Each structure stands twice: as C-alpha cells, then as structure tokens.
Amino acid sequence: MDKIRIGIVGYGNIGRGVELAVERNEDMELKAVFTRRAPETVKIMTAGVPVIHTDDMLSMKDEIDVMILCGGSATDLPVIGPEIVKNFNTIDSFDTHAKIPEYFANMDQAAKEGGNIGIISVGWDPGLFSLNRIYAESVLVQGDTYTFWGKGVSQGHSDAIRRVKGVKNAIQYTVPVEEAVEKVRSGCGPKLTTRDKHLRECYVVAEEGADLKEIEETIKNMPNYFSDYDTTVTFITEEELKANHSKMPHGGFVIRSGETGHDGNKHVIEYSLKLDSNPEFTASVLACYARAAYRLSKKGETGARSVFDIAPGMLSMKSAEELRAELL
Ligand code: NDP
C-alpha cells in the first residue's frame, strides 16, 4: 500500500500532536517537519525524519502528498496558507471564526492556481462541532442551538492575564454553567446571556510583593475577556501551577432542541467532547482530513473546502464497501 506522505508545517502544540497522530494512522508516513526557526534547534520525536527550514519547502514538492499547517490562526495561517497551497495540498485548523469567509476565498483562489486542495478550519471547533451543528439544524429545522465550551484552557485568556501588572504566570479555564446546560437539555429553549452560559476560573502566580487585590480587580474588570463573565481568581504557587495545571484539557457540548409535528413533540440532540489534550485531539482530526485531501486530489479536484464539503467516508481508513458492511 502506498502511504500518504505527510509534511508538518510549524512545530508547536498542534505540530507535535500531528506527529503523534500520523504514527497511529498506518496508511500515513511523516516525511518532514518544516519550521521558521533554525532547524537544528527544533527537536522532534520521530527518528530519521528531517527538520527543514520553511524557506526550503519546495525542495520536497514531489515527496509530500499533504502538508498539515500547524501555525497560529492569528498571524501565521492567513499568510502561509495561501502561499503553501499553491504548491501542496493542505489541511489547517484556522479558528478565527469571523475571518473564515475571507480566508476560504483566499485559499480557494490560491489552491485553484496551484491545482491543489486546501481543507480549512479543521479541528473540533471549528470542525467536529460545526458538523454537529449543521446535522442538528438540518434535522430539527425549528429549534435552538447551543454550544458550551469546557472545562478547558483558553490560551488567549491565559495570555491576557499574564500581561497584567504583578502577574508572573497564569492559566484560565472556561467552565460551562451546569444549571444552564441542564436547562438546555430539558428542551425548553431558554434565552441565555454570555454570563449565564460560562464561568471563567483563573489560577494566578503573582510576583513577590504584588498587590493581589489589584490584580484580582484588574482581571475581573478586563473588557472583552472577563467583564461579561462571573470570574474567580485563585492565587497559587509556581509549583502548584506546574503540578496541577500543565495539561491542556478541553471539550464541550453542542446541543440543539426543537419540535416536530403538531403535538409539540420535543427532541434534543447532544454531542459532547471531553479531551485530555486539546492539541493531540485536534491533530487527530487534522490527520483524518489529510486522508480526504489526498483522495480528493487524486481525483483531480482543486480549490478550498471546509468540513461541510467533505463526505464522512473520505475520512476513514476503511473502504466504502467495508464502511457499508460494518458501520451503516
Ligand atoms: P503554538 O503557539 O504551540 O504554535 C504555533 C507556532 O509557533 C508553531 O507552528 C511554531 O512555528 C511556533 N512555535 C511553537 N513553539 C515555539 C517555540 N518554542 N519557539 C518559537 N516558536 C515556536 O500553537 P498551537 O499549536 O497550540 O495552536 C496553533 C493553532 O491551532 C492556534 O492558533 C489555533 O488557532 C488552532 N487550533 C484550532 C483548534 C480547532 O478546533 N479548530 C483547536 C486548537 C487549536 P515554527 O515551528 O515555524 O516556529
């Protein structure tokens, strides 16, 4: 069997996760890791796989079937995505929701120019949660959809706390409010505000001699990040942070409730994820979509795609016949 030859672009949390995911998919092999840093300073886990500077990417043009782009959504992907898809099939986890239409258009144009496929915004949200929203909304045409996130680490909010004066280190968890989740599950279609749906838990290591009261107030009143939420601030030591908060768990729920018929029959659809490692899980989603990109490209298709455009059977290692026999 010819293996799908994978390249990883950017070696951070998601990049490392993709390396581990490729190892678990027997129809794939990792050909190279690309980085903007000096390659000799980036140590990867797989023996015998080269780390190459992104400037030299084209030297691998004929040796890679799909590049999995693992750069950040804020500034990396909008630039490198369209450049790379001109020369390679790509998968990425672009998650700046408001900019997805613009990113899709740019990727579509560049992918068509290069004759390649670029599947964008793959992961769990956007990604698997998006698919569950579309299935639920298409089935229960009249109803309400709710997404709850957590309990999980929000990188952006953790970074915002770290910038507060007197803070040495910090981590922030987004936590769904249990009563709100239960209300939604009951199918009564409640109207919920931002504050009703999620809590924000902050664990902060303060610098020596810092004013703890001031730090707490600054965090709780930070506009856009915390002021619209019930927020708790707990001061801990650096050792506690390392021992109890070094994993990157996440997860959440997509719930839709709606009615059918004339008798007020209610239905509730729920999809939930509970992830020990957000990056390893996201990377596993990226890996199976790389298989779909490979197959679409082999069929001669080009342009950008989102998860909405990919048939589920394309993700599986199994053949269409096996899927019909085993999973239908
Ligand atoms: P990281 O910050 O860990 O990595 C981003 C990039 O930074 C890497 O590609 C790497 O590029 C560079 N980098 C990483 N470590 C270092 C280092 N020690 N020194 C210097 N540069 C470094 O981000 P994540 O991997 O955690 O996340 C990437 C994106 O994935 C996020 O921006 C987010 O948008 C998206 N995401 C999407 C999800 C979804 O469900 N759709 C879920 C989770 C994340 P290089 O090697 O070139 O230097």
Side-chain angles (χ1 to χ4, degrees):
M1 171 178 67
D2 274 349
K3 293 200 176 196
I4 305 171
R5 301 165 304 170
I6 301 288
I8 293 174
V9 183
Y11 197 67
N13 297 311
I14 302 280
R16 277 191 295 277
V18 170
E19 185 179 10
L20 294 167
V22 168
E23 199 183 296
R24 284 182 181 262
N25 284 273
E26 61 197 35
D27 61 340
M28 296 183 186
E29 65 176 317
L30 181 62
K31 288 301 278 190
V33 171
F34 299 89
T35 180
R36 291 160 295 190
R37 287 168 275 163
E40 62 280 9
T41 65
V42 175
K43 301 285 170 234
I44 67 169
M45 295 169 273
T46 319
V49 169
V51 179
I52 300 173
H53 198 276
T54 38
D55 289 350
D56 301 325
M57 199 177 274
L58 287 183
S59 66
M60 296 292 281
K61 193 164 161 65
D62 298 326
E63 292 185 52
I64 286 176
D65 296 310
V66 185
M67 286 288 201
I68 303 189
L69 311 185
C70 304
S73 294
T75 52
D76 292 342
L77 293 174
V79 178
I80 64 168
E83 280 171 10
I84 297 175
V85 81
K86 276 187 192 153
N87 292 295
F88 296 92
N89 297 308
T90 65
I91 303 292
D92 68 59
S93 62
F94 185 74
D95 70 354
T96 313
H97 289 259
K99 295 198 171 151
I100 286 176
E102 180 189 336
Y103 184 62
F104 184 92
N106 293 341
M107 288 295 282
D108 193 46
Q109 193 185 348
K112 282 177 179 154
E113 267 174 44
N116 294 310
I117 281 283
I119 309 181
I120 72 154
S121 300
V122 171
W124 61 279
D125 198 1
L128 300 183
F129 271 14
S130 324
L131 287 176
N132 282 278
R133 286 189 282 260
I134 198 174
Y135 284 133
E137 291 195 13
S138 307
V139 174
L140 294 177
V141 184
Q142 274 83 40
D144 299 285
T145 304
Y146 302 82
T147 303
F148 291 91
W149 295 275
K151 181 179 181 175
V153 177
S154 161
Q155 220 54 59
H157 287 77
S158 303
D159 288 346
I161 307 176
R162 288 189 207 110
R163 287 194 291 268
V164 170
K165 192 173 139 244
V167 171
K168 195 167 161 205
N169 208 341
I171 192 153
Q172 191 272 172
Y173 296 91
T174 304
V175 187
V177 175
E178 220 154 284
E179 302 87 78
V181 178
E182 286 312 319
K183 234 187 234 174
V184 167
R185 281 185 178 138
S186 77
C188 70
K191 295 276 166 272
L192 298 171
T193 63
T194 303
R195 192 178 296 274
D196 292 335
K197 287 176 69 186
H198 295 97
L199 302 173
R200 295 205 177 274
E201 282 178 5
C202 311
Y203 293 89
V204 176
V205 181
E207 281 168 1
E208 234 182 83
D211 182 339
L212 303 190
K213 197 81 214 130
E214 191 183 318
I215 292 176
E216 184 171 344
E217 287 308 307
T218 310
I219 294 172
K220 287 184 168 175
N221 294 314
M222 202 184 289
N224 303 322
Y225 285 90
F226 295 102
S227 59
D228 294 335
Y229 297 85
D230 288 338
T231 301
T232 61
V233 176
T234 307
F235 290 97
I236 58 173
T237 63
E238 190 82 56
E239 291 69 38
E240 283 173 303
L241 187 81
K242 220 183 224 160
N244 305 327
H245 302 281
S246 57
K247 280 200 171 187
M248 297 176 84
H250 221 313
F253 316 87
V254 172
I255 307 174
R256 181 164 177 88
S257 61
E259 282 187 12
T260 57
H262 293 159
D263 302 329
N265 287 322
K266 283 195 170 73
H267 311 273
V268 178
I269 302 174
E270 176 166 345
Y271 179 76
S272 92
L273 290 174
K274 195 165 183 295
L275 316 175
D276 266 357
S277 163
N278 178 2
E280 281 185 20
F281 183 81
T282 302
S284 301
V285 186
L286 287 163
C288 72
Y289 274 89
R291 182 176 295 117
Y294 174 74
R295 288 172 172 167
L296 289 174
S297 172
K298 282 271 176 229
K299 289 206 291 185
E301 295 197 22
T302 65
R305 301 284 187 279
S306 78
V307 292
F308 295 152
D309 308 311
I310 307 297
M314 301 284 267
L315 306 177
S316 176
M317 229 185 281
K318 294 177 177 168
S319 70
E321 292 74 22
E322 284 173 309
L323 288 174
R324 280 194 293 273
E326 292 174 22
L327 298 183
L328 211 55

